[in-house]
Amino acid sequence: MTQIIILVVVIALFYWLSRSFSQNQHTYSKSQFSGFKLTKENLAYSELGLFVALSAKVAKADGRVDELEAELVSNMFSDISALFPNPEATKKMLKEIFDEEKNAPHNIDPVAQALYKALENDLHKRQKMMEFLVHLSYIDGTLSHAEEEMLRVIAKHLHFGEADFASMLERFGSHHRHSLKESSIDQAYILLGLTAQATNDEVKKAYRALVREYHPDIIKSQGASDEYLKEATEKVQDINAAYEMIKKSRGM
């Protein structure tokens, strides 16, 4: 009887450990990086550094990093650097990595391959990172041919099939076809929580605050549902469309 009880306890403990691991292996926490030796080289070759490098290439794929992409990337730097013991130094290094990599499209293959090697056994993280890159491409409301081709190369290196890649594009692109672009200027002001009497500075401030609030946090998304990035994409696309409409109407 004692042996049976012990066996049950062991099985229960094994199940609990397995369940805990499966729930937490896809998330990031400060404890993971508590002993990280922070150098630019170490950061650049970490999975998060490699992800930032790919984000830089995708953001610059159509020739420039636009205002919303810059806001999203800045927020991403804050999310990632908060995991490390020295956030300010980490954020500075991430910016340097981003600036260097955005002008180096020629090395996309080894960077994407290195990220796959780092996350070979974690499909969930690879999927969330790939979805974030698709989101970043669509966030300005359009997906250029250059962006799509770069995303296709990255998806291939991260071992996503053509059908999986096409599904991601459709999922994030579908909302753009029904975005706020055909809505009225009054609705645009309402979405930003403003009135037509707001100053240009107030418009910019409200826009940036909303982007910070709703931007797709890749760190938090590791433990979120599959709808997380899609919902974030839709919300930020609406915010961006409203902002662009107001800027155009004011000649900003």
Side-chain angles (χ1 to χ4, degrees):
M1 184 65 177
T2 302
Q3 290 179 328
I4 294 176
I5 293 174
I6 293 173
L7 181 60
V8 169
V9 171
V10 170
I11 292 173
L13 180 60
F14 178 79
Y15 172 79
W16 179 81
L17 289 171
S18 300
R19 181 177 175 81
S20 297
F21 178 75
S22 67
Q23 288 177 337
N24 295 311
Q25 65 173 323
H26 308 303
T27 61
Y28 291 106
S29 66
K30 288 185 178 181
S31 61
Q32 290 177 258
F33 300 93
S34 60
F36 187 86
K37 185 178 180 181
L38 185 61
T39 67
K40 185 177 173 182
E41 183 178 11
N42 286 347
L43 189 60
Y45 286 99
S46 70
E47 62 190 67
L48 290 172
L50 293 167
F51 171 68
V52 167
L54 290 180
S55 298
K57 298 177 193 305
V58 169
K60 189 70 181 294
D62 58 0
R64 69 186 187 92
V65 180
D66 71 17
E67 187 175 1
L68 180 57
E69 288 172 332
E71 283 289 329
L72 291 177
V73 168
S74 177
N75 290 331
M76 181 178 70
F77 290 158
S78 297
D79 296 334
I80 293 176
S81 61
L83 295 169
F84 292 82
N86 191 334
E88 287 304 314
T90 304
K91 192 171 186 178
K92 183 176 182 291
M93 292 177 191
L94 289 173
K95 288 179 179 179
E96 292 174 359
I97 292 168
F98 183 91
D99 289 339
E100 291 170 6
E101 293 295 337
K102 73 180 181 182
N103 296 314
H106 57 278
N107 70 343
I108 188 170
D109 294 323
V111 173
Q113 289 166 359
L115 182 59
Y116 174 74
K117 186 175 181 180
L119 298 176
E120 184 175 0
N121 297 319
D122 199 329
L123 174 61
H124 185 86
K125 277 184 184 175
R126 279 187 282 127
Q127 181 174 338
K128 291 303 179 185
M129 288 184 176
M130 189 68 223
E131 287 177 348
F132 187 95
L133 296 177
V134 173
H135 162 91
L136 186 62
S137 297
Y138 265 117
I139 202 61
D140 61 356
T142 60
L143 179 69
S144 68
H145 176 71
E147 287 173 323
E148 183 174 347
E149 287 306 303
M150 184 173 286
L151 288 171
R152 180 170 277 106
V153 169
I154 295 171
K156 183 177 179 181
H157 285 307
L158 294 185
H159 289 223
F160 291 107
E162 185 62 34
D164 293 328
F165 177 63
S167 177
M168 289 182 194
L169 292 186
E170 173 59 26
R171 202 158 68 246
F172 289 99
S174 61
H175 180 73
H176 167 61
R177 294 190 287 271
H178 304 92
S179 71
L180 190 73
K181 289 189 174 181
E182 301 303 321
S183 300
S184 70
I185 189 68
D186 290 337
Q187 289 174 301
Y189 279 112
I190 290 171
L191 183 58
L192 266 59
L194 301 169
T195 67
Q197 285 69 49
T199 65
N200 287 352
D201 285 342
E202 288 172 336
V203 170
K204 291 178 181 179
K205 185 177 180 180
Y207 167 70
R208 288 171 179 164
L210 285 169
V211 171
R212 281 196 299 271
E213 181 179 354
Y214 291 105
H215 89 104
D217 183 342
I218 186 63
I219 305 304
K220 293 178 182 175
S221 76
Q222 298 298 323
S225 70
D226 291 340
E227 292 297 304
Y228 176 83
L229 278 177
K230 180 176 181 293
E231 292 172 359
T233 300
E234 293 174 358
K235 188 65 179 180
V236 178
Q237 279 183 343
D238 279 346
I239 293 166
N240 195 48
Y243 180 58
E244 290 300 325
M245 185 181 295
I246 293 172
K247 282 203 305 181
K248 186 176 180 180
S249 72
R250 292 177 171 225
M252 288 170 62

